[in-house]
Amino acid sequence: MDPVTEDRAPEPLTDYAHRLTRKVRAFDRRHPLLWDLHFTGFWVTAALIDYGGGWRHNAHNLDVPGWLVLTLSLGLSLPLLRRRTHPGTVLATMVPFALVNAWTGTALQAALLQLVVIYHIALRRALRDLWWATALVMAPVLVSVVRYGEGTWDQQIGSQLMSITVAALIGITVRTRRTYTEALEDRARRLETERDQQAQLATAAERARIAREMHDIIGHNLSVITGLADGGRYAAAKSPERAGQALDAIATTSRQALTELRRLLDVLREEEKNQAELTPQPGLTDLDQLLDGVRSAGLFVRTTTHGTPTLPPGRQLTVYRVIQEALTNTLKHAGPGATAAIELSYEEKAAVTVQITDTGTARRTDAPPRAGRGLPGMRERTALYDGTLEAGPRPHPEQGWRVRLHLPEETPQ
């Protein structure tokens, strides 16, 4: 015998019953007519057995003809075939047979099948329909009491009302449980849909963030390397020592770019996400290093600072990236001999205004527009803090380009 089978714990009886119930319900949903035929056939068979002679034990009148007993037995059982789809019609069909059953004194037990219809009315119809359904079911009882008068009124009517109440309560209970289950399933579906949507939004946001970081890292460092390479080429013929310095600066800038790219790619590797080296994001303290790299590429940069910097890390990163992108564009488009100026104004409650201008003579608007990531990336970072970003040519007669960033006061959460 398989040892795994020997160690397996026996299935609890309740779990087996639940599993069997789910299978029966699933079969019923797939083949409702087949289930209704079996159910109706069972009660028709029971009614015909009672027609075989058992009805005489409870009858008030033993002289009822056999054909009438058979007709009443079938009339009180066959309509059950449509009990689920048309319970009101089924009950209205059975009541005339129940009235004849009570008037003639046959007293067939099949009349109790009306309680099955009461259950389905409580399960599927508006609860107010139970009032007229109860009246229809009680009518034959009143006829029997008036005509044959066996037992007291409260015994006859009270027992029938109690039976109707129990059938209705069972239907209401099943209906409430079914409604509650459907509500839970609907909520689970909506939560699953919302979870998928949140995951898609998070993925899109993460892709946008990675695109910004990749653009800032690669775009800036390649621009610096290009400037250094151009300067080194011109210096090679006249000053080999300056050319060597340019090559050293290119190597340093390349290593920095590779380090940042490795950090970003490590974050993307899910299996090594926990082991990725969490290098801090650049901030205001890294501006000097950024400016040194730009100056080494041949762009003269002057900085002016007003106030004391008291920005949180997120705002520092935004300021850093905007300055980095503005200087990268200056290196690309401003032309030879251009200079740049950075003015930082720190205000209270982490507000800051940054203005980057250059004196480039190249006309950037002559080039056809391209779907770049620079300006959209700066605007996305600015929007995170409800800030404003302006970028465009400097007003006439000044030449060059101007980028102005303003992050308002930080509002408490």
Side-chain angles (χ1 to χ4, degrees):
M1 183 179 294
D2 188 357
V4 176
T5 306
E6 290 182 344
D7 297 337
R8 184 178 301 168
E11 184 178 16
L13 182 59
T14 54
D15 292 347
Y16 176 78
H18 289 163
R19 186 159 54 85
L20 182 61
T21 302
R22 287 195 297 269
K23 290 183 178 180
V24 171
R25 290 176 177 172
F27 178 82
D28 183 28
R29 285 192 295 268
R30 293 193 302 269
H31 310 284
L33 181 60
L34 185 60
W35 177 259
D36 288 341
L37 287 173
H38 279 81
F39 182 87
T40 305
F42 173 82
W43 289 113
V44 168
T45 302
L48 293 179
I49 291 175
D50 190 41
Y51 159 73
W55 66 275
R56 298 180 182 275
H57 297 291
N58 299 314
H60 302 301
N61 180 15
L62 300 179
D63 297 329
V64 179
W67 65 267
L68 181 58
V69 176
L70 177 60
T71 302
L72 294 177
S73 299
L74 295 177
L76 291 171
S77 57
L78 278 177
L80 291 178
L81 183 63
R82 306 299 300 274
R83 73 196 183 282
R84 293 197 289 188
T85 56
H86 301 83
T89 304
V90 169
L91 184 62
T93 303
M94 296 173 69
V95 166
F97 294 96
L99 287 172
V100 174
N101 179 55
W103 181 262
T104 59
T106 311
L108 294 176
Q109 297 297 311
L112 295 176
L113 294 176
Q114 295 175 100
L115 299 178
V116 176
V117 185
I118 291 290
Y119 163 80
H120 282 281
I121 290 176
L123 181 63
R124 292 178 169 83
R125 298 285 296 267
L127 295 182
R128 61 177 178 272
D129 292 344
L130 287 173
W131 294 107
W132 63 260
T134 301
L136 290 179
V137 175
M138 289 300 299
V141 178
L142 295 176
V143 170
S144 179
V145 171
V146 171
R147 184 168 175 79
Y148 296 100
E150 290 189 4
T152 60
W153 280 65
D154 57 341
Q155 288 178 344
Q156 294 286 338
I157 296 176
S159 61
Q160 185 69 4
L161 284 176
M162 181 63 67
S163 300
I164 295 173
T165 301
V166 171
L169 287 177
I170 294 175
I172 293 172
T173 301
V174 175
R175 179 178 186 168
T176 303
R177 179 180 176 84
R178 182 178 297 176
T179 303
Y180 178 71
T181 303
E182 291 174 353
L184 289 179
E185 292 175 351
D186 180 68
R187 183 172 182 268
R189 284 192 297 268
R190 287 188 286 108
L191 288 175
E192 185 176 358
T193 302
E194 183 179 354
R195 181 198 64 190
D196 294 340
Q197 292 175 347
Q198 292 293 336
Q200 293 175 359
L201 291 175
T203 301
E206 184 66 12
R207 287 177 176 174
R209 184 190 70 82
I210 292 170
R212 289 195 303 265
E213 294 294 329
M214 293 286 286
H215 175 273
D216 293 339
I217 294 171
I218 297 177
H220 173 74
N221 287 287
L222 286 182
S223 297
V224 172
I225 291 173
T226 301
L228 290 170
D230 290 340
R233 184 181 59 183
Y234 290 119
K238 298 180 180 180
S239 177
E241 182 180 350
R242 294 289 301 275
Q245 293 175 357
L247 291 175
D248 290 339
I250 290 174
T252 302
T253 304
S254 300
R255 292 190 188 96
Q256 292 175 352
L258 286 174
T259 301
E260 292 191 53
L261 284 175
R262 288 194 186 101
R263 174 184 60 80
L264 191 60
L265 294 176
D266 283 342
V267 174
L268 295 178
R269 296 172 61 185
E270 189 67 27
E271 66 274 10
E272 297 181 6
K273 189 172 182 179
N274 295 330
Q275 290 78 23
E277 181 182 359
L278 301 179
T279 304
Q281 293 280 11
L284 296 178
T285 56
D286 300 296
L287 274 179
D288 292 338
Q289 183 179 358
L290 173 68
L291 298 179
D292 290 341
V294 173
R295 290 182 181 121
S296 65
L299 177 64
F300 175 78
V301 182
R302 174 174 52 85
T303 60
T304 305
T305 304
H306 305 283
T308 304
T310 57
L311 302 180
R315 292 186 172 226
Q316 290 189 35
L317 177 61
T318 299
V319 171
Y320 180 93
R321 291 304 190 194
V322 169
I323 294 175
Q324 182 186 51
E325 178 62 25
L327 295 178
T328 300
N329 290 335
T330 299
L331 285 171
K332 290 180 179 178
H333 307 292
T339 62
I342 302 173
E343 184 178 355
L344 297 98
S345 300
Y346 299 104
E347 305 168 18
E348 297 181 354
K349 297 183 180 179
V352 62
T353 301
V354 183
Q355 182 169 276
I356 306 101
T357 57
D358 63 52
T359 59
T361 57
R363 297 183 61 186
R364 297 172 223 178
T365 56
D366 291 344
R370 294 181 300 173
R373 287 292 309 172
L375 188 58
M378 288 194 290
R379 296 194 186 281
E380 289 172 1
R381 293 183 184 277
T382 305
L384 292 176
Y385 300 98
D386 297 325
T388 57
L389 181 74
E390 301 173 6
R394 299 172 67 183
H396 186 76
E398 296 177 335
Q399 290 183 332
W401 199 264
R402 181 181 73 115
V403 176
R404 185 179 184 276
L405 166 70
H406 176 70
L407 300 183
E409 296 181 355
E410 191 172 22
T411 57
Q413 298 296 327

